[in-house]
Amino acid sequence: MSKAPFIVGLTGGIGSGKSTVAKAFSSLGIESVDADSASRAVVQPGMPALSHIRDHFNQQNILLPDGQLNRPLLREIIFADAQQKQWLETLLHPLIRDWIIEQLHAAETDYVILESPLLFETDQHQLVDVSLLVDVPTEIQLERASARDNNDRAQIQRIIDAQMSRQEKNNRADFVIDNSSDTKTLTASVLELHQQFLALAKGKH
């Protein structure tokens, strides 16, 4: 695609239903790029980042027998050591950003969605034309996330507390979709936003 696409940044806290909203846009024929996929793609076997990680941590079991990154072990290391976390982020963030940009510009739909749980917390918000927040009350987040992941509510609450506050996300978002109701209401809201994004995308070009 020669022209830069119109990019909608889609974000929401744990258990908000961000992926459900992304699927609803997908059913309308809109492509999306998942920032979480980027973090996995840049550390695949054969990618330079994986060699850097192996050499830096210099631990035999940082790679699994099949050559894949041992994610649970790496997570354990970086959450126990802020300096190691900083090193890893310095290595990966530019690579993740480049991968996302490449995927966004390859999209061929009228607009494209960047699905990112940390849209506002990282510089990924700089890549988008408008932002869309999937918002639900904290109690619903706790219910949905604990039911989905089999995690206890206290653990989910810690994750929520570590993320940007609901209020601040609402203040920063250009559009907010309420996902505390039923599927029918959500589908109608997505359809309405879809029309708005089509109009905005047309205006950009």
Side-chain angles (χ1 to χ4, degrees):
M1 199 172 179
S2 52
K3 290 185 285 193
F6 185 83
I7 302 165
V8 176
L10 173 65
T11 193
I14 185 170
S16 63
K18 178 172 47 64
S19 299
T20 305
V21 172
K23 284 187 188 116
F25 279 105
S26 175
S27 71
L28 295 169
I30 298 302
E31 290 182 57
S32 68
V33 175
D34 182 1
D36 282 347
S37 298
S39 62
R40 289 189 290 273
V42 299
V43 292
Q44 285 300 305
M47 298 295 274
L50 193 61
S51 307
H52 287 310
I53 290 168
R54 184 196 60 213
D55 296 344
H56 176 81
F57 291 103
N58 197 25
Q59 277 180 256
Q60 219 173 359
N61 51 352
I62 201 75
L63 297 187
L64 297 167
D66 63 358
Q68 296 279 345
L69 180 62
N70 185 340
R71 288 176 169 279
L73 176 62
L74 183 63
R75 201 175 297 123
E76 211 176 285
I77 293 168
I78 63 169
F79 281 113
D81 187 332
Q83 278 185 308
Q84 297 289 20
K85 185 171 185 279
Q86 176 69 48
W87 179 88
L88 189 69
E89 286 173 350
T90 303
L91 170 72
L92 295 183
H93 281 182
L95 299 174
I96 288 169
R97 187 187 171 93
D98 289 347
W99 186 91
I100 288 170
I101 291 169
E102 193 179 315
Q103 299 296 314
L104 288 170
H105 282 259
E108 294 182 348
T109 45
D110 291 301
Y111 63 91
V112 58
I113 285 173
L114 170 58
E115 187 185 341
S116 171
L118 299 174
L119 186 74
F120 297 131
E121 288 91 338
T122 64
D123 63 359
Q124 287 171 14
H125 65 273
Q126 295 169 2
L127 301 175
V128 307
D129 293 288
V130 294
S131 57
L132 169 60
L133 171 68
V134 184
D135 183 53
V136 293
T138 307
E139 186 54 38
I140 291 179
Q141 279 185 271
L142 287 164
E143 274 172 32
R144 287 180 182 167
S146 54
R148 183 191 65 194
D149 301 332
N150 271 335
N151 283 328
D152 65 279
R153 287 169 70 97
Q155 191 177 351
I156 302 293
Q157 186 66 59
R158 281 195 294 274
I159 293 168
I160 291 170
D161 292 341
Q163 294 178 337
M164 186 181 286
S165 75
R166 183 184 171 202
Q167 184 61 56
E168 192 172 347
K169 282 181 179 172
N170 270 278
N171 291 343
R172 294 186 63 168
D174 298 306
F175 296 88
V176 178
I177 188 167
D178 178 3
N179 190 22
S180 58
S181 191
D182 55 27
T183 308
K184 193 177 171 187
T185 309
L186 181 68
T187 304
S189 300
V190 168
L191 195 55
E192 193 181 316
L193 284 162
H194 175 60
Q195 298 304 330
Q196 292 185 62
F197 295 151
L198 285 174
L200 288 167
K202 204 172 174 186
K204 182 177 180 178
H205 298 310

